[in-house]
Amino acid sequence: MADIAKDLTAGTIGGAAQLIVGHPFDTIKVKLQSQPAPLPGQPPKFSGAIDAVRQTVAAEGPRGLYKGMGAPLATVAAFNAVLFTVRGQMEALLRSQPGAPLTVNQQIVAGAGAGVAVSFLACPTELIKCRLQAQSALASSAPTGVTVKYGGPMDVAKHVIRSEGGMRGLFKGLVPTMAREIPGNAAMFGVYEALKQYLAGGLDTSGLGRGSLILAGGVAGATFWASVYPTDVVKSVIQVDDYKNPKFSGSINAFRTILATEGVRGLYKGFGPAMARSVPANATCFLVYEVTRSSLG
């Protein structure tokens, strides 16, 4: 099997495992990010991550934690196939000779290149996911008739294409998506390789056990979110912003508005669930990827 096919297969399986483990955490993250700032003297809809879980399960049942998973599940094959395949091809270009291990700096470059590619898949997928995850929080605070109720991923896509500028509407938030994916993946793959080399005691990491891969993957995933989280908040509020009556004129305006009205804490809404998700989800993804890739020869 060619290396591209191996990366496609391993990336797809690893991404599916990551999604199943991490989606409930992501749902809570988006709900916390997208809830409107409360009026003076009034409490926010969700007081924190645990409260968001309780309200979601009470109102929608456990299935509510998996709301919006259809869109990323349908595209997880393409997303992770592109991520790991582009990274693999970048690695091949950066190697001094076939089979030579890469340095940490080379892995950072490979991760950044993969981040560029996946941004164009992540943006429409996450727009659909965020609309579905956030709609219950927005519905309770918006005037009657303002918030659109979506029946599922395809309903979101149809509404956006019909009412929000055609296909271009699905790429709302592309700039903050790229600002998240490029540095985030550069940091993630760099840390992943650095930690693997540290645990292996050198450049050859082929002998690492599953425990080491889980540790490296979990830390790498946490690094991704720690390095770009405010950008993800901006992306989420831009993507769920009302098309006809927008609160924000763009990414910079969204950043400044959040900072002015909610302070630095506003740029880290949902940070707890994101970090709680990143460790097990990315540890699972990297482990499954590495085991699958190795089994394919």
Side-chain angles (χ1 to χ4, degrees), residues 69-221:
M69 195 173 79
L73 187 60
T75 57
V76 68
F79 183 92
N80 285 277
V82 169
L83 179 67
F84 284 99
T85 300
V86 172
R87 177 202 175 209
Q89 293 305 297
M90 290 286 292
E91 288 177 335
L93 290 172
L94 293 168
R95 282 193 177 97
S96 57
Q97 59 185 27
L102 269 65
T103 65
V104 172
N105 287 338
Q106 288 173 319
Q107 285 287 358
I108 290 173
V109 173
V116 174
V118 299
S119 294
F120 292 93
L121 287 173
C123 186
T125 300
E126 295 216 358
L127 182 142
I128 292 170
K129 173 180 67 69
C130 286
R131 295 281 180 99
L132 289 171
Q133 290 173 328
Q135 70 174 349
S136 60
L138 293 173
S140 64
S141 59
T144 303
V146 172
T147 300
V148 177
K149 289 290 186 179
Y150 304 112
M154 290 304 296
D155 189 35
V156 178
K158 289 176 182 177
H159 172 84
V160 171
I161 293 172
R162 183 175 62 248
S163 307
E164 300 186 24
M167 291 296 295
R168 184 179 179 182
L170 291 174
F171 288 88
K172 183 179 183 181
L174 179 61
V175 171
T177 298
M178 296 186 76
R180 182 192 72 177
E181 292 295 330
I182 296 172
N185 279 294
M188 182 174 71
F189 284 112
V191 168
Y192 181 64
E193 188 63 27
L195 194 49
K196 284 204 304 178
Q197 291 182 12
Y198 173 78
L199 294 171
L203 291 176
D204 184 7
T205 61
S206 60
L208 286 177
R210 294 185 178 183
S212 296
L213 295 175
I214 289 172
L215 175 61
V219 174

Side-chain angles (χ1 to χ4, degrees), residues 174-285:
L174 179 61
V175 171
T177 298
M178 296 186 76
R180 182 192 72 177
E181 292 295 330
I182 296 172
N185 279 294
M188 182 174 71
F189 284 112
V191 168
Y192 181 64
E193 188 63 27
L195 194 49
K196 284 204 304 178
Q197 291 182 12
Y198 173 78
L199 294 171
L203 291 176
D204 184 7
T205 61
S206 60
L208 286 177
R210 294 185 178 183
S212 296
L213 295 175
I214 289 172
L215 175 61
V219 174
T223 301
F224 180 104
W225 289 109
S227 62
V228 298
Y229 194 79
T231 307
D232 185 66
V233 173
V234 170
K235 178 200 72 67
S236 292
V237 298
I238 288 291
Q239 290 186 323
V240 302
D241 199 15
D242 187 72
Y243 179 72
K244 294 181 179 178
N245 300 291
K247 295 180 182 178
F248 312 108
S249 60
S251 300
I252 300 300
N253 177 250
F255 178 85
R256 290 174 175 169
T257 301
I258 294 170
L259 197 61
T261 58
E262 303 177 55
V264 175
R265 290 183 62 183
L267 294 169
Y268 285 88
K269 289 189 296 185
F271 184 68
M275 294 301 288
R277 168 193 177 276
S278 67
V279 175
N282 284 282
T284 301
C285 180

